[in-house]
Amino acid sequence: MSGIYCKDAMSPSMKHIPYARQWIDRRDEDEVIGALRSDFLTQGTRVGEFERAVASYCDARYAVAVNSGTSALHIAARASGLGARDEGITSPITFVASANCLLYCGARPVFADIETETGCVDPAAVSDAVTSRTRAIIPVHYAGLPCDMKELSKIAKRKKIIIIEDACHALGAVYRNSKIGSCRYSDMTVFSFHPVKHITTGEGGMVLTNDKKLYERLLILRSHGITKDPALMRQRHGPWYYEMIDLGHNYRITDLQCALGMSQLRRSFRFLERRRMIAKTYSKLLSGCAGIELPEEPAERRSAWHLYCVRTRGGSAVRKRLVEHLHRRGIGAQVHYIPVYWQPYYRKLGYKRGICPRAEAFYGQEISLPLYPLLRDKDVRYVADSVISFFDRIGRERCA
Ligand SMILES: *Cc1c(COP(=O)(O)O)cnc(C)c1O
C-alpha cells in the first residue's frame, strides 16, 4: 500500500475514496479463524448465536439468518403467502431486490411515489396504490432513515396487508423510540450484511419477526422446505427421518460468516456513532452551499446513516457534472437509485416511465457522498471542499 500512497507518487487523480467500505480488524479475523478451526463450518452454533444477538440488539423475538439480504426478502415474501395475482407495494427508489422478491413469488410489484425530502415511500401514495389484490407493503428505509411506519401500518391494518420492512440500510435506526428491527409497526424486517452495509458477514442477511408462525415458515424456507419437527411431519420412520413440506431453498449462512457477524455486531455502536459524526460534519461543512439540498431527519425518525444523500438544485445535467468532477478527484460518489421500473427487465414487463414523477426527479438530482466508519476527517473535508469548489466554478461560469 505504501508504494501506491507515498506522497511523491500521489497526484490528485490517484487518490481514491470509495463511497462505502467495510471495517475489518484483528478481532474479526480471530473470530473467523476460530470458526474455521471448529467442528462446524456451517449449521453449527454460531448461526443461532448471531441470530439471538441481532434479535436482542433490535428488540425482536425471532431472527432467521440467511446468505444475503435478497434471500431474506425472498423468504419473507414467501412466508407472507405472496403468489400469483397478488400485488406488493414498494418504492422505486431502492435496490432492485426490494421489488424482485415479489416477482420471485409470481406477484406483481406496484410502485408508490416517494417523499422528496426523505427519499422514503410516501404513505399517501401507498394508500392510493392499494387494491383488492394488495397483500404486502415493502417500505425501504432509504439511506438509513425510517419510513413513516405509523401511517403505513394504519393502511396495512385496515386491509390485512403484511408489512415487510426493507431495513438493509437501517441497522441501528430508531423510529418513535423503537429500534428498526423490533417489528413494532410491521410483520417482518429484513437486513443485509453486504460489506457496504452497517455490519458485514461478506454476504448475508436476516429476517426478524415477533410472529412464531412466520418464524417457523422462514426456517423451513431457508433450508429446502425440510423439517424434522414431529408436529409438522405426517409420519416418522425413525431418527433419520425428515419431510419436505414446502418448496424451499438453500439460503443457509455459514458459521464462518456468523462468527464475523458476531464480532462486527459488538462494534456496531461505534460504527453507528462514527457514521452519525461524519454526517453531522458534512452537514456543517456544506450548509452554506447553495447548489445542493442536504439530508434531514424529521422528528421521531433517527437515521442509521447508511448514505449521505444530497440533491443538486440544478437538475440532472448539473448532477452528472458534479459526479464526474468528484470522480476526477478520486471520490467515489454514487447515485441511489435508478428507479427500479426504469430497468430494461421491468420495461419488458410493461412498466412505463412517469409512474412516480417525484422518484424520477429525485433520481435526476441525487448524489451519495462517501460515508463509512473508516473515512478520515480530512477525507470528509476533502469531499466537502470538492463539492463546494464545483459550485464555485459553476457560479463563475454563469457570471462570465
Ligand atoms: C443491499 C440491499 C439489498 C440486498 O441485499 P444483499 O445482501 O446485497 O442481497 C436489498 N435492499 C436494499 C435497499 C439494499 O440496500
Side-chain angles (χ1 to χ4, degrees):
M1 290 303 265
S2 59
I4 297 169
Y5 286 100
C6 87
K7 266 217 161 78
D8 293 338
M10 193 155 116
S11 71
S13 64
M14 288 182 73
K15 199 176 174 84
H16 181 65
I17 304 172
Y19 93 89
R21 70 157 293 158
Q22 71 279 12
W23 181 353
I24 301 294
D25 75 3
R26 256 306 285 276
R27 284 164 293 181
D28 295 326
E29 293 170 10
D30 291 345
E31 288 295 331
V32 175
I33 289 168
L36 262 173
R37 291 178 177 159
S38 72
D39 289 336
F40 293 98
L41 300 186
T42 189
Q43 294 177 282
T45 56
R46 286 176 174 85
V47 178
E49 265 170 48
F50 184 45
E51 288 171 339
R52 285 189 293 278
V54 175
S56 149
Y57 178 85
C58 295
D59 302 325
R61 205 165 295 156
Y62 307 106
V64 178
V66 289
N67 59 1
S68 74
T70 303
S71 303
L73 281 164
H74 185 189
I75 61 170
R78 285 282 311 275
S80 308
L82 277 154
R85 287 184 299 280
D86 291 330
E87 292 176 354
I89 301 172
T90 190
S91 169
I93 297 297
T94 184
F95 185 56
V96 291
S98 316
N100 288 351
C101 66
L102 295 160
L103 293 179
Y104 296 155
C105 300
R108 180 177 165 77
V110 173
F111 295 98
D113 214 343
I114 60 162
E115 312 165 329
T116 301
E117 295 71 32
T118 64
C120 289
V121 78
D122 177 2
V126 170
S127 181
D128 289 346
V130 170
T131 72
S132 58
R133 292 187 166 175
T134 308
R135 185 129 185 196
I137 300 173
I138 307 180
V140 181
H141 303 313
Y142 177 78
L145 185 76
C147 294
D148 188 345
M149 291 306 299
K150 212 170 164 189
E151 283 306 308
L152 291 173
S153 72
K154 269 189 218 158
I155 298 164
K157 276 220 179 78
R158 273 205 302 273
K159 309 263 183 178
K160 292 208 170 68
I161 295 169
I162 279 196
I163 297 187
I164 303 167
E165 296 174 68
D166 182 339
C168 291
H169 294 183
L171 185 68
V174 179
Y175 177 77
R176 290 180 175 265
N177 297 321
S178 299
K179 290 204 190 110
I180 290 299
S182 66
C183 302
R184 169 92 174 71
Y185 298 91
S186 68
D187 299 279
M188 287 174 273
T189 302
V190 166
F191 291 113
S192 163
F193 308 124
H194 182 276
V196 302
K197 310 290 165 72
H198 291 78
I199 63 169
T200 189
T201 57
E203 297 277 1
M206 203 177 278
V207 188
L208 275 65
T209 184
N210 296 321
D211 183 318
K212 189 149 187 257
K213 283 248 156 56
L214 288 173
Y215 172 62
E216 285 167 353
R217 262 182 252 158
L218 292 165
L219 285 177
I220 285 169
L221 289 166
R222 166 171 69 181
S223 199
H224 306 281
I226 284 176
T227 185
K228 286 193 100 172
D229 180 351
L232 299 173
M233 292 195 295
R234 296 189 171 183
Q235 303 180 4
R236 186 171 155 82
H237 301 168
W240 65 87
Y241 189 70
Y242 58 83
E243 284 184 354
M244 179 186 147
I245 58 172
D246 199 345
L247 184 60
H249 306 269
N250 180 355
Y251 282 168
R252 293 188 304 260
I253 190 167
T254 65
D255 280 57
L256 309 182
Q257 291 170 295
C258 291
L260 178 55
M262 279 298 287
S263 174
Q264 289 260 301
L265 190 66
R266 282 185 208 114
R267 305 210 303 293
S268 61
F269 283 108
R270 268 189 70 200
F271 291 176
L272 196 60
E273 219 169 82
R274 180 69 189 142
R275 283 180 178 275
R276 289 208 165 109
M277 180 55 77
I278 292 169
K280 216 166 135 182
T281 308
Y282 271 138
S283 292
K284 201 170 81 202
L285 295 173
L286 293 170
S287 64
C289 184
I292 49 175
E293 309 249 15
L294 304 180
E296 278 170 30
E297 289 176 294
E300 315 239 43
R301 293 161 72 175
R302 285 207 75 189
S303 181
W305 293 107
H306 169 56
L307 301 171
Y308 190 87
C309 304
V310 302
R311 280 174 292 131
T312 55
R313 289 208 170 94
S316 66
V318 173
R319 191 276 301 277
K320 182 155 184 268
R321 280 184 61 190
L322 176 53
V323 171
E324 287 164 355
H325 170 82
L326 296 175
H327 285 189
R328 271 195 304 277
R329 302 193 48 139
I331 298 166
Q334 263 284 7
V335 169
H336 295 94
Y337 289 92
I338 306 155
V340 173
Y341 61 81
W342 279 17
Q343 296 296 345
Y345 187 82
Y346 279 82
R347 298 298 291 277
K348 233 170 33 194
L349 293 177
Y351 292 86
K352 301 262 185 304
R353 286 199 181 216
I355 308 172
C356 300
R358 272 173 282 155
E360 295 181 12
F362 187 91
Y363 166 61
Q365 299 179 315
E366 197 276 340
I367 295 183
S368 306
L369 302 179
L371 175 54
Y372 49 93
L374 276 182
L375 191 66
R376 296 168 300 183
D377 287 338
K378 66 174 190 176
D379 292 330
V380 176
R381 283 195 298 274
Y382 174 75
V383 172
D385 286 345
S386 301
V387 172
I388 291 164
S389 71
F390 171 80
F391 285 104
D392 285 349
R393 204 176 68 199
I394 291 236
R396 280 199 301 278
E397 276 174 20
R398 290 228 176 87
C399 299

